[in-house]
């Protein structure tokens, strides 16, 4: 017997230990997960308002030419020492993090389009292909939206990845992609897991939502993530609106060498679930971050603001607070604490 707890056509049986864990979650009730603060972004009127704005808007939602990028330096990544922290931003929320010698991919989306009718990637090609990547120790998926959980990419990664870490319920979609159940760890907020001896990863709260269709709203959880080794500690926000739990995350797990914070695809109509750039900076300070690398921009047209506005607003606000913002080219590998801060996007406006 199966239960109506699904992502697309993926289901869990009623006696499945993963389903039992879902039902015991403190923020799960009557078949859905909930944020601490209720959102009003689901109304039909709100949807119509966004649609009208999208049609009328004449801003530069996409760049006029391909964005500059670098081919990923795989030799550098593969030769990193156990005490080093290397980060390669692939655009949007996809990061290749080499921390303590472990290779971790966040929200791997290598497809040109994430949905049939959705927007195309600004740059048609990625700075590295999945077959070119080295074996991956951990893939982290923050939530099940199409621009974070890409079926095509998961299928290509399933045989070269040791472990997949996902929020509650998202494992069913990975199993549907052919990922072995033994490779998947589903986590609730504040769960921790230790892998390979000295790599610790914790799922922490985020303020967002989940869905892959009109019929599965909030059936699965969303999360932010803490990753640390004895030498380094980083924070990946996933998608989130600004909320008080950033302070709690900082109190429990901070300080962080680097934070990878959502900065893009915001709008006043869905402010509850996506931060304005000034709030991105505030969240970074709340979690007690050192270097801030903005993500969730530079890849897809997902909002009404100009494509470059998020990073412009963030760097302006960060200058006032004397916060270091890393702004690498797509595909460029940076080594903490040697952080590039260059306004490359201004050269193509």
């Amino acid at each position: 017997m199966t239960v109506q707890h699904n992502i697309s056509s993926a289901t869990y049986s009623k006696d499945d230990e993963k389903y039992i864990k879902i039902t015991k979650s403190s923020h799960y009730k009557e078949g859905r997960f909930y944020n601490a603060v209720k959102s009003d972004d689901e109304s039909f009127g709100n949807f119509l308002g966004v649609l009208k704005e999208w049609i009328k808007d004449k801003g530069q939602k996409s760049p006029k030419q391909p964005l500059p990028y670098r081919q990923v330096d795989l030799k550098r990544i593969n030769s990193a020492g156990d005490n080093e922290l290397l980060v390669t931003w692939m655009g949007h929320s996809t990061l290749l993090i080499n921390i303590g010698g472990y290779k971790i991919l966040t929200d791997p989306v290598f497809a040109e389009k994430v949905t049939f009718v959705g927007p195309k990637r600004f740059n048609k090609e990625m700075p590295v292909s999945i077959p070119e990547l080295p074996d991956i120790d951990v893939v982290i998926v923050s939530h099940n939206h199409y621009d974070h959980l890409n079926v095509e990419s998961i299928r290509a990664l399933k045989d070269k990845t040791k472990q997949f870490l996902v929020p509650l319920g998202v494992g069913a979609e990975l199993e549907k992609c052919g990922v072995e159940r033994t490779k998947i760890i589903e986590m609730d907020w504040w769960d921790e897991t230790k892998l390979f001896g000295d790599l610790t990863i914790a799922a922490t709260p985020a303020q967002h939502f989940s869905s892959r269709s009109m019929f599965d709203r909030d059936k699965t959880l969303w999360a932010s993530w803490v990753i640390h080794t004895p030498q380094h500690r980083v924070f990946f926000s996933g998608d989130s609106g600004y909320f008080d739990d950033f302070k709690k995350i900082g109190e429990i797990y901070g300080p962080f060498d680097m934070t990878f914070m959502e900065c893009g695809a915001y709008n006043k109509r869905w402010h509850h679930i996506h931060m304005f750039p000034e709030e991105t900076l505030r969240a970074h300070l709340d979690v007690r971050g050192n270097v801030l690398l903005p993500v969730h921009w530079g890849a897809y047209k997902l909002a009404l603001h100009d494509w470059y506005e998020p990073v412009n607003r963030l760097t302006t606000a960060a200058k006032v607070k004397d916060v270091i913002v890393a702004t690498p080219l797509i595909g460029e590998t940076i080594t903490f604490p040697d952080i590039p801060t260059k306004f490359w996007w201004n050269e193509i406006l």
Side-chain angles (χ1 to χ4, degrees):
M1 177 182 178
T2 58
V3 293
Q4 295 303 311
H5 185 91
N6 62 348
I7 313 171
S8 302
S9 61
T11 59
Y12 286 133
S13 64
K14 191 173 183 180
D15 58 354
D16 191 311
E17 62 181 12
K18 293 186 176 181
Y19 178 69
I20 293 171
K21 185 173 181 179
I22 288 168
T23 60
K24 290 183 177 180
S25 174
S26 62
H27 31 276
Y28 179 83
K29 184 179 179 181
E30 296 177 351
R32 292 181 59 176
F33 287 96
Y34 290 89
N35 286 310
V37 180
K38 187 180 184 302
S39 169
D40 60 356
D41 68 314
E42 297 182 55
S43 69
F44 185 65
N46 194 42
F47 169 76
L48 289 179
V50 172
L51 185 60
K52 289 178 182 178
E53 286 186 45
W54 192 276
I55 293 171
K56 292 180 179 179
D57 184 75
K58 303 299 180 182
Q60 194 181 148
K61 293 191 285 291
S62 300
K64 297 177 181 178
Q65 63 190 65
L67 301 182
Y69 72 98
R70 290 186 183 174
Q71 291 290 336
V72 174
D73 187 350
L74 294 173
K75 184 177 180 180
R76 174 69 182 104
I77 290 169
N78 289 327
S79 64
D82 291 347
N83 62 342
E84 288 191 291
L85 171 59
L86 278 64
V87 181
T88 309
W89 178 54
M90 311 282 193
H92 205 55
S93 296
T94 302
L95 297 154
L96 176 56
I97 304 167
N98 191 319
I99 181 170
Y102 300 111
K103 298 175 183 68
I104 299 171
L105 265 178
T106 65
D107 289 353
V109 178
F110 286 75
E112 182 182 359
K113 292 184 68 174
V114 294
T115 61
F116 179 73
V117 296
K120 290 185 178 181
R121 185 182 293 274
F122 295 156
N123 287 11
K124 184 176 181 180
E125 295 183 358
M126 292 287 283
V128 68
S129 68
I130 290 178
E132 292 173 318
L133 287 173
D135 287 347
I136 302 300
D137 292 295
V138 181
V139 165
I140 292 174
V141 177
S142 65
H143 61 296
N144 76 351
H145 285 157
Y146 285 93
D147 59 323
H148 296 264
L149 196 170
N150 175 241
V151 168
E152 176 185 326
S153 300
I154 294 296
R155 286 174 176 161
L157 284 162
K158 66 183 178 64
D159 293 327
K160 64 188 311 172
T161 301
K162 294 178 183 176
Q163 202 76 59
F164 291 81
L165 269 57
V166 299
L168 293 180
V170 179
E173 185 67 31
L174 268 59
E175 288 186 47
K176 186 182 166 190
C177 294
V179 179
E180 296 176 20
R181 169 172 277 239
T182 56
K183 285 187 174 185
I184 303 169
I185 299 176
E186 292 194 4
M187 301 175 69
D188 201 351
W189 294 343
W190 306 116
D191 281 353
E192 279 189 11
T193 187
K194 180 162 279 192
L195 302 169
F196 320 121
D198 60 355
L199 174 65
T200 301
I201 301 179
T204 45
Q207 185 164 285
H208 200 55
F209 72 107
S210 66
S211 67
R212 291 182 76 81
S213 74
M214 295 174 60
F215 309 105
D216 64 348
R217 173 84 183 209
D218 298 340
K219 294 284 188 179
T220 66
L221 188 58
W222 46 96
S224 58
W225 299 85
V226 170
I227 307 165
H228 67 89
T229 64
Q231 295 83 21
H232 294 289
R233 189 172 294 246
V234 299
F235 176 73
F236 172 51
S237 71
D239 278 6
S240 181
Y242 179 80
F243 68 140
D244 287 342
D245 271 355
F246 283 127
K247 295 186 182 73
K248 186 175 181 181
I249 293 167
E251 291 168 359
I252 295 173
Y253 288 108
F256 295 95
D257 297 307
M258 296 187 70
T259 70
F260 314 116
M261 288 285 186
E262 178 214 88
C263 184
Y266 50 81
N267 186 282
K268 63 183 179 181
R269 293 182 181 274
W270 58 83
H271 180 217
H272 176 81
I273 55 171
H274 282 295
M275 294 183 279
F276 293 143
E278 296 77 14
E279 292 172 317
T280 296
L281 177 65
R282 186 178 173 188
H284 167 81
L285 293 171
D286 282 354
V287 301
R288 300 164 62 203
N290 181 0
V291 175
L292 193 169
L293 195 160
V295 299
H296 208 253
W297 75 286
Y300 299 103
K301 179 176 67 178
L302 299 173
L304 294 163
H305 56 67
D306 292 336
W307 71 269
Y308 55 86
E309 181 186 295
V311 69
N312 263 353
R313 285 176 59 173
L314 176 65
T315 51
T316 298
K319 186 176 181 180
V320 175
K321 296 291 187 179
D322 199 27
V323 170
I324 301 169
V325 177
T327 54
L329 294 175
I330 293 172
E332 180 180 3
T333 298
I334 61 176
T335 304
F336 179 86
D338 183 17
I339 304 300
T341 301
K342 48 197 174 189
F343 296 78
W344 56 263
W345 53 92
N346 287 332
E347 299 174 6
I348 59 173
L349 296 181

